[in-house]
Amino acid sequence: MTIEHLLTTHFPDDPVLDAALATALLRRTAREPNAPALIRVYSPARTLSFGRLDAVRPQFPAAAAAARRHGFTPVVRGAGGRAAAYHEQTLVVEMFSRDTEGMVGARPRFQRITPRLVDVLRKLGVDARIGPVPGEYCPGDWTVNGAGRVKLAGTAQRIVAGAWLFGFELVVSDSDPVRAVLTDVNAALELEFDPGTAASLTDLNPDVTLEQVRTAILAEVGVVREWTADSDVLDEAATLRDAHVA
């Protein structure tokens, strides 16, 4: 799949609005018959992204408080299952596209896109593979792992009538704060988690940089041109913000 537009808009002072913008972009893509395929790439402020499964647990308020104690803003995302943490040395990647397959297309999309991400990381000198790691945070069959031992990224999808979002977050360096916050958050949620499974790319290859990863991913998807979020989609994100507040 060739991505037509690149969007880098994000809100370093408001991680909740970052999550809301993803929802607004997905809705916009679903509404507009000629909406181009879009990739959004950015490095966020410290964010603890909870899944909807977390948000309905009675332990959720305690988990959100644990995230705040570590300096991570808790948000409730639209896609994915369990808690994930990322910060300024993370690359958040979200792809948006029109869709006519609905849930039928979800597994084939994992099968198409996840191996391409693995190939990108291998070219950067990271021993990336596909498959879950016992004790990982936000467990999933399509985890991108390092050497079969640690989790590097979880891939996730969100599907609505007419469009899909495929996303992942790569912690490029500085994995210590990620391990620390996930340890306390998962303890609060009473979920199993092995801190040793949370890693960054530099834990496997100390020479890789955030800019190298960004450049390699954009080269892989073949972005045509940059796009700026218009006022309509930004206004819609503002109206959706409350739905992502933890």
Side-chain angles (χ1 to χ4, degrees), residues 43-97:
S43 292
R46 293 193 171 201
T47 307
L48 201 297
S49 179
F50 289 98
R52 299 288 176 183
L53 293 174
D54 297 320
V56 298
R57 292 177 69 87
Q59 305 93 336
F60 179 60
R68 293 188 184 96
R69 285 196 297 272
H70 283 268
F72 283 72
T73 299
V75 306
V76 179
R77 66 181 181 273
R82 298 296 186 186
Y86 35 95
H87 53 36
E88 299 87 345
Q89 290 301 311
T90 300
L91 202 67
V92 176
V93 179
E94 298 167 338
M95 303 178 188
F96 304 84
S97 181

Side-chain angles (χ1 to χ4, degrees), residues 130-219:
I130 297 173
V133 177
E136 68 181 9
Y137 66 90
C138 192
D141 292 340
W142 293 94
T143 287
V144 176
N145 71 63
R149 298 182 291 102
V150 294
K151 181 165 188 164
L152 300 175
T155 57
Q157 296 188 58
R158 185 178 179 190
I159 300 167
V160 299
W164 54 260
L165 181 167
F166 187 103
F168 55 89
E169 299 85 27
L170 285 166
V171 181
V172 178
S173 63
D174 195 19
S175 53
D176 286 345
V178 170
R179 278 190 289 272
V181 69
L182 286 174
T183 296
D184 286 353
V185 164
N186 281 288
L189 289 171
E190 299 179 6
L191 295 174
E192 182 179 339
F193 170 60
D194 176 1
T197 62
S200 67
L201 299 185
T202 56
D203 291 330
L204 281 79
N205 177 5
D207 296 327
V208 72
T209 67
L210 191 71
E211 188 55 35
Q212 283 178 329
V213 179
R214 182 182 187 277
T215 299
I217 288 174
L218 294 182

